[in-house]
DNA sequence: TCACTTGCTGAAAACGTTACCGGGTTTCAT
DNA sequence: ATGAAACCCGGTAACGTTTTCAGCAAGTGA
């Protein structure tokens, strides 16, 4: 009778499905059906089983379930090294949404540059996760293609580059956000509005630039390439860009920075030059990360619904995991202009 | 021969230990030994097996391993809602350290206030994780006691309250960091140094206060309770505290805020009052989160080695998981004063 | 009454791995 | 030469689930 346990039975072991079945006087199959809500179970036995489950605080062992059913209840989320504050808001949204589905996040750091090819795969797949939510610093298409070829199900949140049509994505409405911001500056009376962009090959840059141009065009303002400066998303880049702008013979009266760190950098260089924000120069950022509330004056910025993006990513992924007949979805979530103190009326005409 | 697969064999299925064994012409037991580096295997067969493993990119199925060996290779990390930027640095350190051990993070959000009692337990234990790294917004001892009583192995990183001696903890050297900061202000010639603290019942407040007092005492400066204001770690609290300090008949010439948001808030209120930083008032923060680089002037602050704390937490946890004979360890990591632009010479005597 | 369906339940195979057991084969000191 | 010890490796139970399949009881239509 006494089975040979092949590992030391530590205390604190929890109830198994077999014990629950025994206590409830049913078979383990029935318990499984109750737990998963699958198949036929009479109300009477269901209630009996549920009561035993509650009493013993039983929850299914995830490893066993993963092994048997092929689904682990775990979702892999890549953790990019950069932009940590930005990132954690997305993750919070993801965690929240998954929690309600009784699933968990497994973090897969993308640390070293070149182990990714193999690494991403091994980390995310093979009995570890059911699917992935990828928040990548920059996509390299080949890894994504490999993942796809293995049939791995994943969603890219906040894509940086343009990627395969068939990959579902969630992003912010970049161009309309940029349009909003620019339009607001125009309404304040600014006509000479500079832009500090991210790297030109990135999607966010491209789309925000489109919104910026669209707003200018609508207002009948001719864009001046001299006051559109490409940078690198970092504070320091913002400082340099800001400095460069005020070297010009005809400096701008407003700056639209394509993310918050750039805006902060620009603001610092403006202040360093002895100019005042917003009296002399108005500044608008993009993202609404925590930084925007830490800066003086408080930064007017375009809020990306980051947590929402995480939640939406989860719901796309779930659709992917359930129906395998999916149409590749690309969701864009609306942005919102948050007016704070770094913007003011343009120059009197 | 053809077994009945009880689930649809999706493409992209990966090699199993049985296939590797077959290709290598050995038993699965031997493959397991090679993979885990346990037991005796001759160099010859080891190399042969390893080559097959490489060729097929085999990695053990984590669910199966978890089920069989009782260890899942997953570590639960609680995800507090607040202080996301602060937190993600710790997690990055944890992820990095775990990655090298071929382990992964499972995020367990502590979302709802009152499901914790049951929630934490169910989320972290029961075949899901081997151990936990807890970064809690505030500890409630009862949950920790329950976890301990179940024999769950965990480490608390950056403990907020004083907790059971037997729980290993990793924290920053709060009092010596506060001592450093205060001493630095004293060296600059400041004598009237205010403190804006966190809630009085928290460990960080208590310890930083001790360092602050120690430094003052060493310099022969009598502490004045009137310029020690208790607050709540938030920017807004810093603003209020700063405002209050300059209502005083004899306002301070320097402020030591017990975290960066408080420092930022204080700085904002000082500026709002028409005073200059650091010419009129010097300000020092604590934490060195990203915010300190986003503020003008750049904030002088005490750096907590957050990523290091995460890594150290992992190494304590590993010790816990291996030898079960552990002495409860309490590690304190050194802090470092980062001098930036928000501090300057004190008033001429 | 009989065949058939529907609702419900249990037995048992399978998932992929680890660790124990035991049977060999060397190596080594005496 | 010989017994003991170390080394090597295969067979297999066990981990806790899910899912298929078969079976039974009760209801249904002819």
């Amino acid at each position: 009778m006494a089975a040979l346990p092949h590992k030391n039975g530590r205390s604190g072991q929890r109830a198994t499905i077999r014990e629950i079945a025994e206590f409830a006087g049913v078979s383990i199959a029935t318990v499984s059906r109750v737990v998963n809500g699958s198949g036929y179970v009479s109300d009477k036995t269901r209630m009996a089983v549920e009561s035993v489950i509650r009493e013993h605080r039983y929850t299914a062992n995830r490893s066993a379930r993963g092994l048997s059913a092929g689904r682990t209840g775990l979702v892999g989320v890549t953790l990019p090294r950069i932009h940590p504050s930005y990132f954690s808001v997305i993750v919070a949204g993801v965690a929240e949404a998954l929690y309600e589905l009784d699933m968990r996040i497994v973090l897969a750091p993308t640390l070293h540059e070149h182990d990714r090819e193999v690494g991403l795969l091994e980390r995310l797949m093979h009995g570890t996760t059911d699917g992935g939510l990828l928040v990548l610093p920059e996509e390299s298409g080949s890894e994504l293609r490999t993942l796809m070829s293995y049939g791995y199900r994943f969603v890219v949140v906040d894509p940086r580059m343009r990627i395969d049509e068939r990959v579902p994505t969630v992003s912010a409405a970049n161009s309309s956000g940029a349009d909003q911001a620019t339009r607001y500056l125009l309404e304040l009376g600014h006509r000479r509005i500079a832009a500090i962009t991210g790297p030109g090959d990135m999607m966010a840059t491209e789309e925000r630039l489109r919104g910026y141009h669209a707003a200018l065009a609508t207002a009948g303002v001719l864009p001046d390439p001299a006051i559109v400066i490409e940078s690198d998303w970092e504070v320091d880049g913002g400082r340099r860009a800001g400095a460069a702008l005020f070297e010009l013979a005809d400096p701008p009266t407003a700056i639209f920075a394509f993310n918050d760190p750039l805006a902060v950098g620009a603001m610092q260089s403006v202040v360093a030059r002895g100019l005042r924000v917003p009296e002399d120069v108005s500044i608008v950022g993009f993202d609404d990360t925590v930084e925007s509330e830490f800066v003086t004056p408080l930064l007017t910025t375009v809020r990306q619904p980051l947590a929402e993006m995480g939640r939406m990513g989860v719901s796309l992924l779930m659709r992917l995991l359930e129906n395998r007949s999916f149409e590749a979805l690309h969701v864009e979530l609306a942005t919102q202009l948050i007016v704070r103190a770094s913007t003011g009326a343009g120059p009197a005409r």
Side-chain angles (χ1 to χ4, degrees), chain A residues 86 139 157-163 165 169-182 195-216 228 233 256-259 286-287 302 304 309 330-335:
Chain A
Y86 184 104
E139 281 84 34
V157 177
D158 190 30
R160 298 298 208 281
M161 306 289 190
R162 210 161 287 289
I163 55 179
E165 270 297 311
T169 58
V170 180
S171 48
N174 283 304
S175 67
S176 95
D179 180 87
Q180 270 180 289
T182 313
I196 305 179
T197 81
D201 56 346
M202 297 188 67
M203 246 174 80
T205 297
E206 203 179 299
E207 293 180 350
R208 289 170 198 179
L209 210 45
R210 186 161 59 239
Y212 165 76
H213 281 143
L216 289 183
V228 174
W233 302 128
F256 174 26
F258 278 20
N259 79 350
F286 205 110
D287 284 354
V302 179
Q304 293 208 56
M309 284 162 65
H330 302 275
V331 175
E332 259 198 10
L333 295 177
T335 55

Side-chain angles (χ1 to χ4, degrees), chain A residues 14-145:
Chain A
R14 305 180 65 66
T16 70
I17 199 174
R18 218 171 305 275
E19 288 161 11
I20 300 297
E22 193 163 337
F23 280 119
V26 297
S27 73
I28 60 169
T30 300
V31 176
S32 175
R33 276 188 283 260
V34 170
V35 169
N36 297 291
S38 60
Y40 292 115
V41 180
S42 72
D43 282 354
K44 185 155 148 284
T45 54
R46 156 170 296 116
M47 266 149 54
V49 171
E50 277 172 350
S51 123
V52 176
I53 285 177
R54 265 197 304 280
E55 188 184 340
H56 289 75
R57 304 197 161 196
Y58 167 79
T59 54
N61 179 308
R62 290 189 113 86
S63 292
R65 173 177 288 174
L67 185 57
S68 177
R71 53 196 159 77
T72 57
L74 298 175
V75 170
V77 173
T78 55
L79 173 72
R81 241 235 236 272
I82 56 169
H83 295 311
S85 73
Y86 184 104
F87 175 80
S88 65
V89 182
I90 296 181
V91 172
V94 171
E96 203 173 314
L98 283 178
Y99 177 73
E100 277 157 28
L101 299 166
D102 194 35
M103 299 185 79
R104 307 280 172 271
I105 287 186
V106 175
L107 245 36
T110 53
L111 288 176
H112 316 291
E113 287 304 317
H114 283 297
D115 69 348
R116 265 186 291 168
E117 178 73 39
V118 184
L120 258 185
L121 285 170
E122 302 308 327
R123 280 204 287 271
L124 292 175
M125 300 178 56
H126 197 211
T128 304
T129 58
D130 297 341
L133 241 23
L134 274 43
V135 192
L136 301 167
E138 81 246 31
E139 281 84 34
S140 100
S142 77
E143 280 92 6
L144 294 187
R145 268 193 298 281

